[in-house]
Amino acid sequence: MIYTLTLNPAIDQMISVKNFTLTATNKAVDQYQILGGKGVNVSVMLKHLGVNNIALGFIGKDNQQQFEDYLKEQTIKSDFLVVKGQVRVNLKIKDLVNNQETELNCLGFSLNKDDEKTILNWLKKKLKKDDFLIISGSTPMGTSTTLYQKIAGVCAKQKIAFAIDATKANLLPTLQYRPLLIKPNLAELNEIFNTDYQFDNQKAVIQLGQKLLAQGAQNVLISHGKEGSILVTSKGSYYANSASGKLVNSVGAGDSMVAGFIGSYLKTDDPKTSLQIATAAGGATAFSQGIGDLALVNKLKSQIKIKVIS
């Protein structure tokens, strides 16, 4: 069974305005919300792709029913540990005139050491050999910097393959346990190595990906929006162009790429096919309100061409 793990779920409020201006009153012309958090988004795209999975993680008691109802509507099984407080609410402001997005990621519930012990013991009991775990997103307030490392250690000890999509501090300590996939975007990749490479310098980007392979990652998927994505593996590197379409919302696009890659790779063991589906899935979500559907993924797939670059 494939499981997703979301320790820090979110409700993303999507607000569209014209000529967003700081220190001024801005009037919304459109507004909607997306329930998710990175792992939840992965679960929804996996389900859209026909891949059954179970969503795990923490949930704030104040929003528990809202999330459970949403996942039930998506026919996704879930099993969350409930803690006091509420899920964070993030604001995503889209300037329709200048085609710019501004994000404000807010605070939600916090965890303590007892919560961390609880989830580690819970995962040890729940996950079985040959299961697959996708670890996604940030950690809540109060979480130790070693929690993801400990979860990856549980996976390794119980022979459970895993993927992780997280930023530098949470990501790097897990590489020793050989995640099947990590998915930094270009900005995150540059942050890891304190560099400032652009995507047209493919050789330099690939070299950074290879450094992450040397640290333990098995596949490194580096995304950069409309400029495409690069997959670095031990057998070679590949470039995928992005699909053409109107950007509606970028929330969940990277998560959809993770879902597309893992959902395909576990079936095919083919990095090129998996990269194609990952890129189409990411595009489908970027061109949709919420997580893209299967029909759009299939439509965009024909636009994605995979180029071997090393």
Side-chain angles (χ1 to χ4, degrees), residues 19-47:
N19 283 317
F20 176 67
T21 306
L22 291 173
T23 73
T25 299
N26 295 270
K27 294 184 178 180
V29 297
D30 187 31
Q31 180 176 343
Y32 59 94
Q33 70 176 20
I34 302 171
L35 270 66
K38 294 180 73 64
V40 172
N41 296 335
V42 173
S43 276
V44 175
M45 178 53 81
L46 282 171
K47 188 65 178 182

Side-chain angles (χ1 to χ4, degrees), residues 34 76 80 95 101 119 121 125 134 194 225 263 291 299:
I34 302 171
I76 297 169
F80 287 98
D95 185 329
E101 287 186 350
I119 198 164
N121 290 329
K125 294 177 181 178
I134 301 173
N194 193 28
I291 304 302
K299 180 180 178 181

Side-chain angles (χ1 to χ4, degrees), residues 36-64:
K38 294 180 73 64
V40 172
N41 296 335
V42 173
S43 276
V44 175
M45 178 53 81
L46 282 171
K47 188 65 178 182
H48 288 182
L49 294 172
V51 181
N52 288 327
N53 67 95
I54 299 175
L56 308 176
F58 285 108
I59 196 75
K61 185 177 181 180
D62 296 350
N63 310 93
Q64 177 185 359

Side-chain angles (χ1 to χ4, degrees), residues 37-177:
K38 294 180 73 64
V40 172
N41 296 335
V42 173
S43 276
V44 175
M45 178 53 81
L46 282 171
K47 188 65 178 182
H48 288 182
L49 294 172
V51 181
N52 288 327
N53 67 95
I54 299 175
L56 308 176
F58 285 108
I59 196 75
K61 185 177 181 180
D62 296 350
N63 310 93
Q64 177 185 359
Q65 194 63 51
Q66 188 178 11
F67 272 78
E68 289 179 350
D69 289 347
Y70 169 64
L71 289 168
K72 188 175 181 180
E73 289 174 5
Q74 299 288 331
T75 65
I76 297 169
K77 293 181 179 179
S78 63
D79 193 355
F80 287 98
L81 295 173
V82 181
V83 295
K84 293 181 180 179
Q86 64 181 8
V87 168
R88 61 199 171 116
V89 178
N90 298 330
L91 300 179
K92 314 289 185 180
I93 303 170
K94 184 173 182 179
D95 185 329
L96 298 175
V97 173
N98 298 303
N99 196 29
Q100 296 176 333
E101 287 186 350
T102 301
E103 300 186 11
L104 181 60
N105 289 343
C106 301
L107 304 176
F109 59 77
S110 61
L111 302 181
N112 56 42
K113 291 183 179 179
D114 288 338
D115 294 321
E116 293 189 21
K117 290 179 182 177
T118 297
I119 198 164
L120 287 170
N121 290 329
W122 185 64
L123 290 172
K124 288 176 184 176
K125 294 177 181 178
K126 183 170 290 291
L127 301 177
K128 308 298 182 186
K129 183 180 178 182
D130 297 329
D131 284 339
F132 194 96
L133 180 67
I134 301 173
I135 307 166
S136 296
S138 60
T139 54
M141 294 183 297
T143 308
S144 70
T145 57
T146 59
L147 181 55
Y148 274 168
Q149 180 180 358
K150 291 176 181 176
I151 292 172
V154 169
C155 291
K157 186 173 182 179
Q158 299 191 195
K159 300 186 184 307
I160 299 160
F162 74 99
I164 179 166
D165 182 10
T167 52
K168 181 177 179 178
N170 284 323
L171 172 67
L172 294 182
T174 70
L175 298 185
Q176 62 185 299
Y177 300 110

